[in-house]
Amino acid sequence: MPSQNKPIVTTNRYEELIRGFIEAGYEFKAFGKEAVGKTMFLRHDIDFCLHRALEVAKTNKKLGVTGTFFIMASGFAYNLLDKENQDLVRQIRDNDQIISLHYDPTVYDDIQRGFEIEKNLFDGLFEEDIKVISIHRPGPFLDENNTRLGECEHTYMDKYFNDIKYCSDSGGRFKYGHPYETEAFKSEQPIHLLLHPVWWTHDLNTPTEFLLNWQEEVAYRTIDKTLDNCKTFDKKAFWETA
Ligand SMILES: [Zn+2]
């Protein structure tokens, strides 16, 4: 079992993928900028792990590219208000990356009201005024995909999703083909590329292996956090009951 102290690093696969776009002359831009020619909108939805997100942010900085990290306020996997997590988000931004909100509309009966609550929280915590957000598992939301949330655009609007090429690693694979194989890449057209950090840190074989590996890390971190919060916790008991 890996220890919680084992460093999380991005893989060569990630670096090679991004280098391919750099070498092809792609310009990495913020959502909202004009999509012409070799424009890359690099998007990272953070469904699982801010620690892994930070490693991808550091790698982006090393490679000299900017991505947009969309972070959840209502996710099951991390608490955005936790101090350590707030610090991780600020460190992602300190690595010359853009931060914004990854919004799950299914959490609220009133999608616009829910969005207002989360935007105010996110902007308040990080002193931002976010303009473009991404939506977590959009589902029926895609039926009216050009609807704004408040004043904000989102990444499933036509201008980012249908008018330019969209590639995603959802589920741990490029379901609709590798981005280099797309007509857009071959003809030097704009690309919107969604990469979830959970698939690009560590070298494993199947989506399930990646997710089990992440769950192990969470278990170790949870043990340490439990000890921080309750000195009477006997760490050994975890192993005895595991
Ligand atoms: Zn998501």
Side-chain angles (χ1 to χ4, degrees), residues 104-115:
D104 182 351
T106 66
V107 173
Y108 303 96
D109 291 334
D110 182 339
I111 289 172
Q112 291 287 350
R113 173 79 185 123
F115 176 71

Side-chain angles (χ1 to χ4, degrees), residues 43 45-47 72 102 134-137 196:
R43 162 180 163 199
D45 284 358
I46 314 306
D47 293 353
M72 298 194 84
H102 191 40
S134 79
I135 293 172
H136 178 67
R137 283 197 240 116
H196 297 79

Side-chain angles (χ1 to χ4, degrees), residues 133 135 138-149 152-163:
I133 61 117
I135 293 172
F141 197 88
L142 287 182
D143 297 341
E144 292 184 57
N145 69 308
N146 285 314
T147 306
R148 284 176 181 244
L149 285 156
C152 278
E153 293 184 344
H154 62 82
T155 56
Y156 288 117
M157 293 171 82
D158 282 344
K159 61 189 285 192
Y160 302 120
F161 188 56
N162 290 320
D163 298 348

Side-chain angles (χ1 to χ4, degrees), residues 21-219:
F21 290 105
I22 296 169
E23 280 157 21
Y26 270 82
E27 192 183 342
F28 289 68
K29 294 185 186 174
F31 285 92
K33 300 284 183 195
E34 196 183 10
V36 283
K38 290 183 272 186
T39 292
M40 165 59 70
F41 292 131
L42 177 59
R43 162 180 163 199
H44 302 293
D45 284 358
I46 314 306
D47 293 353
F48 292 107
C49 182
L50 287 167
H51 293 82
R52 290 176 183 224
L54 177 59
E55 291 314 310
V56 168
K58 288 177 182 169
T59 303
N60 284 351
K61 182 175 182 175
K62 184 177 93 178
L63 297 173
V65 302
T66 298
T68 306
F69 288 72
F70 293 98
I71 292 151
M72 298 194 84
S74 64
F76 78 97
Y78 54 86
N79 170 9
L80 185 59
L81 291 171
D82 177 72
K83 186 183 183 313
E84 183 183 339
N85 289 337
Q86 289 189 40
D87 288 345
L88 287 166
V89 174
R90 292 191 184 94
Q91 286 179 66
I92 289 168
R93 182 172 58 191
D94 290 346
N95 276 276
D96 304 336
Q97 307 299 302
I98 299 160
I99 56 168
S100 185
L101 181 67
H102 191 40
Y103 177 61
D104 182 351
T106 66
V107 173
Y108 303 96
D109 291 334
D110 182 339
I111 289 172
Q112 291 287 350
R113 173 79 185 123
F115 176 71
E116 200 181 306
I117 292 166
E118 291 200 7
K119 183 185 185 320
N120 286 336
L121 173 73
F122 193 93
D123 284 347
L125 279 177
F126 302 113
E127 296 176 334
E128 289 279 335
D129 182 15
I130 52 176
K131 304 285 190 214
V132 185
I133 61 117
S134 79
I135 293 172
H136 178 67
R137 283 197 240 116
F141 197 88
L142 287 182
D143 297 341
E144 292 184 57
N145 69 308
N146 285 314
T147 306
R148 284 176 181 244
L149 285 156
E151 299 288 306
C152 278
E153 293 184 344
H154 62 82
T155 56
Y156 288 117
M157 293 171 82
D158 282 344
K159 61 189 285 192
Y160 302 120
F161 188 56
N162 290 320
D163 298 348
I164 63 172
K165 181 64 189 171
Y166 168 69
C167 296
S168 162
D169 67 350
S170 289
R173 65 216 185 286
F174 288 120
K175 201 161 125 192
Y176 302 106
H178 193 283
Y180 295 168
E181 300 301 319
T182 61
E183 247 340 283
F185 183 75
K186 290 176 190 166
S187 58
E188 306 187 334
Q189 293 302 304
I191 295 176
H192 165 186
L193 178 62
L194 168 57
L195 301 175
H196 297 79
V198 73
W199 309 128
W200 299 94
T201 42
H202 305 290
D203 268 317
L204 298 164
N205 295 309
T206 65
T208 300
E209 283 181 27
F210 278 99
L211 293 173
L212 288 172
N213 174 273
W214 164 70
Q215 287 167 354
E216 256 179 30
E217 276 172 18
V218 172

